[in-house]
Each structure stands twice: as structure tokens, then as C-alpha cells.
Amino acid sequence: YLYTHKLGWTEMQGTLPVYFSVLDSTDIIKKILKLDTLTKSVSLLLNPLLKGIFSRNKSSQPPGTIRVIDKFDERVDRLWQRIRKSLTYATDRNSKYLNWRFVSNPHRYEIFALENEKNELLGTAVTRTEEKFGYRFGYLVDIIFDPAQEAAGIALINHAIDFLKTQGCAMVTALGTDPSLKRAFKESGLRR
């Protein structure tokens, strides 16, 4: 409903669930009310309410260190080989494909890697920002983690959301069908 009725998308087929979180209502309210003074007052009231609705589980420490990477290496191939059979729907996401999709792409993507103390890859997350419909949107474009290590997925999603918030995004969206991804999205405050 949000995409087709409020944001102007004309076509959306299938049952791929869209998950989202409102990070800051200020720009959204400003566009609706068109008054700066009233916008500040309403957003001061609404933002805490939205924070409660889209609350995140940030109680545990990430099971490693998250850092920005500029390309995918053989570690993502090893991770993908370990987890690919446990995922219901997924494109083969090896390093060759991921580098073509995100590194060689003219759009700007931020790529995060979660690594343990042995420098083993526990997961990756890819984000992108875009100006659309008068708002700054953040997208969690891709995430890979072992479903048996859900804490790794939650840590990556939380990190990506925090990063997108620093980029001034009003909202973050993600797509996902796998049950482990749905649980991690929910724990990270993304709602269907």
C-alpha cells in the first residue's frame, strides 16, 4: 500500500515481502504539512513513537568486528558454499557475482563485512541510498549470513540501519523471503 498508493509505484507483482523502518519522520511530515514550525513540533512527538514501533534488539554484542570492504573475496565463496543449501530462495551469491553486482556497478554501494577474530567471514551486508519522491531512502540491498548464526545477521542489519541513519535517510527498506531473514529483520526493527 505504501509503495503503490503513497509513493507512486505503478506496478508490484508477486508476494515478495517488503520490510521497512521509519528512521526519521521530519522530512515526511514536512512534505505533508509544508510548514517548518509545525513540522518540528509534530516530528518531536512522532519520532519517539516511531522509535517504539520500530524498536530493535541491540542487547547483544556482534559476534565479531564489522568493517567496510571494497570488494568480495574468496571468504564469501566459502561462506556461500556453507549456507546456500539452507536458504529457500537465493541467487548464487559468490564473489564473482557479488563483485559484478555491487563493486562494478556505477551506483554507489556500501559493503560491510562481519569478521571473527580469525578473520573468517560471518556475513556481509550491502546498502545504498537514493533520493526518491522528495525523501532520502536507504536500502538494505543484500545480506548474507549463516541462518544458524542469527546474531550475525542481526548485528549486520543493525549496523546497516545505523549507517543509513547517519546518511540522513528517512526510511530503510529491505526485501526478504527466507524465515531466518524474516526473524533477523523483525529483531532489527524492520516491519513487514
Side-chain angles (χ1 to χ4, degrees), residues 73-112:
D73 57 29
E74 70 282 345
R75 297 177 309 155
V76 79
D77 295 329
R78 289 192 295 272
L79 174 62
W80 181 249
Q81 288 304 312
R82 269 196 338 264
I83 69 170
R84 69 183 183 152
K85 290 190 169 125
S86 64
L87 302 174
T88 311
Y89 305 103
T91 302
D92 189 14
R93 294 185 358 249
N94 58 32
S95 61
K96 183 178 178 183
Y97 169 77
L98 293 170
N99 284 320
W100 168 81
R101 174 73 177 89
F102 301 116
V103 177
S104 300
N105 193 308
H107 294 292
R108 173 83 174 124
Y109 293 95
E110 283 295 322
I111 306 167
F112 301 101

Side-chain angles (χ1 to χ4, degrees), residues 18 39 46 48 51 62 129 132 134 180:
V18 176
T39 296
L46 190 56
K51 191 173 185 178
T129 60
K132 198 171 201 173
S180 63

Side-chain angles (χ1 to χ4, degrees), residues 4-167:
T4 57
H5 289 86
K6 297 295 182 189
L7 299 178
W9 288 25
T10 57
E11 184 177 328
M12 194 164 170
Q13 297 177 347
T15 58
L16 185 61
V18 176
Y19 292 84
F20 75 101
S21 178
V22 178
L23 304 178
D24 187 352
S25 68
T26 306
D27 288 340
I28 298 166
I29 294 167
K30 188 178 193 176
K31 191 170 184 178
I32 294 167
L33 297 179
K34 297 176 179 44
L35 294 170
D36 285 342
T37 55
L38 193 54
T39 296
K40 288 178 185 177
S41 299
V42 173
S43 64
L44 280 173
L45 294 171
L46 190 56
N47 280 337
L49 176 66
L50 291 171
K51 191 173 185 178
I53 293 169
F54 300 104
S55 63
R56 298 191 274 161
N57 178 1
K58 294 182 88 172
S59 60
S60 62
Q61 290 287 359
T65 303
I66 299 174
R67 67 180 184 93
V68 175
I69 58 173
D70 57 1
K71 69 179 233 172
F72 296 91
D73 57 29
E74 70 282 345
R75 297 177 309 155
V76 79
D77 295 329
R78 289 192 295 272
L79 174 62
W80 181 249
Q81 288 304 312
R82 269 196 338 264
I83 69 170
R84 69 183 183 152
K85 290 190 169 125
S86 64
L87 302 174
T88 311
Y89 305 103
T91 302
D92 189 14
R93 294 185 358 249
N94 58 32
S95 61
K96 183 178 178 183
Y97 169 77
L98 293 170
N99 284 320
W100 168 81
R101 174 73 177 89
F102 301 116
V103 177
S104 300
N105 193 308
H107 294 292
R108 173 83 174 124
Y109 293 95
E110 283 295 322
I111 306 167
F112 301 101
L114 174 58
E115 304 163 333
N116 66 15
E117 64 281 347
K118 297 176 188 173
N119 201 32
E120 296 169 327
L121 189 65
L122 301 177
T124 63
V126 180
T127 65
R128 180 172 173 229
T129 60
E130 178 180 46
E131 297 289 333
K132 198 171 201 173
F133 311 115
Y135 307 108
R136 187 156 183 82
F137 279 84
Y139 301 99
L140 180 55
V141 181
D142 193 79
I143 183 159
I144 301 172
F145 65 94
D146 185 342
Q149 294 184 9
E150 199 168 274
I154 294 167
L156 280 163
I157 295 167
N158 283 335
H159 186 84
I161 290 170
D162 290 340
F163 169 75
L164 292 168
K165 192 167 186 170
T166 68
Q167 301 302 300

